[in-house]
Amino acid sequence: MRQNVRVTSDSRGSGDPRDASGPGAAGDSGDRGAPGGTGGGAVRARGEYQELVDEISELLGAPATLENRDFELISFGVYDSEGDLDPSALDPVRTRSILTRRSTAAVREWFEGFGITRATGPVRIPPTPEAGVYRGRICLPVRHRGVVLGYVWLLDTEPGPTERQLAAAMEVTARIGALLADEAQQGADLSRELRAVLTAERDWQRDMAVTELRSALGARADTPHTVVCVAPWTSAPDDAPSVRTVPGAEALCTVPWGPAGHALALLVRLRSTDVPGPALAAAGRLLERAREAAAGVAGPRTGLAELTEAWREASASARAALAEPGFGPVAQWASIGPYRLLTALPPRAGQDVAVRTLLGPAHRELARTAEVYLDRAGQAGRTAAELGIHRQTLYYRLSRVEQLTGLDLDDGEDRLLLHMALKAHRL
């Protein structure tokens, strides 16, 4: 007996765990339903995905879920059951995916073990309670020119869809594949232009790249935005995440970072220049993929004229977050204080000869004591309390700092030099 199905034109969904069938289904797809922007083309594309998923849902008599090949939700059909849904539908894999809005690497690997990345037709995945999968799935691979770009999922029920229904649904997945391929190409174009802007060596090259990026973004180029830097990005340079998987993202790319590393650059649209929330959320999402990295967020801008300066701020903020854990994994340009100046110095400018010995491995405790003392404006009581030492111990250590550096901690300029050198050393 066919299930009653109600399809929805709102890819945000209802938030009810019963409303999604894929292994990575989420209760709220948010801006991830957009292929990389909030312009009219993005909205139309999101609507096209939803219409095609709705079409599959009606063909198969069951709600379908569309995810990209990274198991990120794109859109889904919705149950319209008058009775209670079978509680077994809420297996741990689905519940965890809904709560986190994505599937874990282990879940992805488990499903891919059934050959879905190579399949050209429907794949039935049996229930496996020991793996947390209480309900079987049917996976329809979404391909374009032989490349898998996503998956359509539905729960496998009895008697389930017929072979004819599944064949008709696979024809729809081909149309979805064409849309995903177009979106991927658009994302690649934006990534190329963003990289060109951030890596241009001459002003005229940068101006040309900004013009191309502005043309590619259309009206969205003149809306509020900011830039996010995630560094270091240890994945392969060509293994950057899809722009769809990052809420609010307009474009992203990898760029050189340090002598031989890379960072991830992200252009994020904002609701207004007073609301950095989308950038902070995007940074947090990317840090889930780069556990040893930190993120920096530039000051907000309207338009692309200061894109290079925004990238300098974002990368400086990421450096500050790596150097000073107190900033947290995500640092905003407005919040990094003296590091706004220190990050602008040439790499070795902060290595003053007076503090070279103090910064050696043998004197780390003394260097730490001096930095905390200067951070606390020379207040001995606060410094001793933070370090957990007696005041006399503090005074002894400070006298040793003066002996090693030749600096007088009662002199303002000497204090400034020592403080800057200690902070710069972290960078």
Side-chain angles (χ1 to χ4, degrees):
M1 182 176 181
R2 285 171 57 114
Q3 294 175 325
N4 292 326
V5 176
R6 174 174 61 84
V7 294
T8 177
S9 59
D10 183 2
S11 64
R12 291 181 180 271
S14 66
D16 190 328
R18 296 173 295 178
D19 291 347
S21 58
D28 183 357
S29 64
D31 286 339
R32 283 173 292 164
T38 57
V43 174
R44 286 194 298 274
R46 180 171 57 191
E48 288 182 83
Y49 286 123
Q50 188 63 56
E51 289 174 3
L52 292 171
V53 170
D54 291 349
E55 185 175 342
I56 291 177
S57 296
E58 292 191 354
L59 281 171
L60 301 182
T65 298
L66 172 63
E67 298 175 339
N68 66 16
R69 61 186 169 195
D70 293 323
F71 284 43
E72 294 276 353
L73 179 70
I74 297 176
S75 60
F76 56 85
V78 183
Y79 275 102
D80 189 18
S81 173
E82 295 182 0
D84 292 333
L85 187 67
D86 185 349
S88 66
L90 306 181
D91 61 36
V93 168
R94 292 183 64 204
T95 302
R96 184 167 55 249
S97 298
I98 291 163
L99 293 175
T100 61
R101 302 185 177 185
R102 61 185 303 184
S103 291
T104 64
V107 168
R108 173 178 172 175
E109 183 178 356
W110 189 85
F111 279 100
E112 289 177 344
F114 289 90
I116 62 175
T117 60
R118 302 182 301 276
T120 57
V123 177
R124 276 189 159 88
I125 298 174
T128 310
E130 59 269 26
V133 180
Y134 297 162
R135 296 287 299 273
R137 269 75 158 172
I138 298 177
C139 175
L140 309 180
V142 176
R143 291 182 169 273
H144 183 73
R145 296 182 178 176
V147 177
V148 65
L149 299 176
Y151 306 100
V152 173
W153 300 89
L154 60 148
L155 293 175
D156 199 359
T157 58
E158 291 294 341
T162 66
E163 293 302 317
R164 171 179 281 185
Q165 288 175 308
L166 289 173
M170 285 301 297
E171 292 180 4
V172 181
T173 66
R175 289 149 56 194
I176 296 175
L179 277 179
L180 287 172
D182 287 345
E183 177 187 326
Q185 182 58 53
Q186 293 170 9
D189 292 344
L190 286 171
S191 293
R192 183 181 63 250
E193 301 304 342
L194 179 60
R195 185 181 297 107
V197 172
L198 301 183
T199 60
E201 296 180 355
R202 295 180 174 85
D203 290 344
W204 66 268
Q205 293 174 323
R206 186 176 299 107
D207 292 343
M208 288 182 62
V210 169
T211 299
E212 292 294 332
L213 181 59
R214 182 180 291 111
S215 176
L217 288 172
R220 305 198 307 275
D222 297 320
T223 59
H225 69 269
T226 191
V227 175
V228 173
C229 170
V230 178
W233 187 258
T234 55
S235 300
D238 58 353
D239 191 29
S242 166
V243 70
R244 168 187 289 283
T245 66
V246 185
E250 292 283 13
L252 59 79
C253 66
T254 55
V255 295
W257 172 270
H262 289 85
L264 191 71
L266 178 69
L267 182 65
V268 183
R269 64 182 178 274
L270 302 175
R271 299 181 185 91
S272 77
T273 55
D274 298 324
V275 182
L280 300 178
R285 173 63 59 83
L286 289 170
L287 287 176
E288 293 176 7
R289 300 170 181 250
R291 298 292 184 180
E292 302 301 320
V297 180
R301 268 111 171 143
T302 299
L304 303 179
E306 298 181 6
L307 192 56
T308 302
E309 180 64 16
W311 171 245
R312 187 190 70 79
E313 293 178 2
S315 57
S317 300
R319 289 179 63 197
L322 288 168
E324 179 53 71
F327 290 134
V330 181
Q332 298 183 65
W333 171 251
S335 303
I336 63 173
Y339 285 98
R340 291 200 294 269
L341 294 176
L342 294 173
T343 52
L345 296 174
R348 301 182 65 85
Q351 300 179 13
D352 190 86
V353 63
V355 298
R356 186 174 300 163
T357 302
L358 177 64
L359 295 176
H363 301 297
R364 288 176 180 169
E365 187 174 63
L366 290 179
R368 167 67 176 156
T369 298
E371 185 172 4
V372 173
Y373 176 71
L374 294 170
D375 285 346
R376 299 297 168 265
Q379 297 182 33
R382 293 177 61 195
T383 305
E386 181 166 335
L387 294 173
I389 60 177
H390 194 275
R391 281 200 185 198
Q392 291 304 315
T393 302
L394 172 63
Y395 295 142
Y396 170 74
R397 290 183 184 178
L398 294 176
S399 68
R400 288 283 294 132
V401 169
E402 290 182 321
Q403 292 171 11
L404 288 170
T405 62
L407 300 175
D408 180 0
L409 293 183
D410 288 330
D411 182 84
E413 290 188 357
D414 281 2
R415 282 194 185 196
L416 178 61
L417 173 60
L418 178 58
H419 208 178
M420 290 181 61
L422 290 168
K423 295 296 185 186
H425 182 65
R426 289 178 174 270
L427 297 171

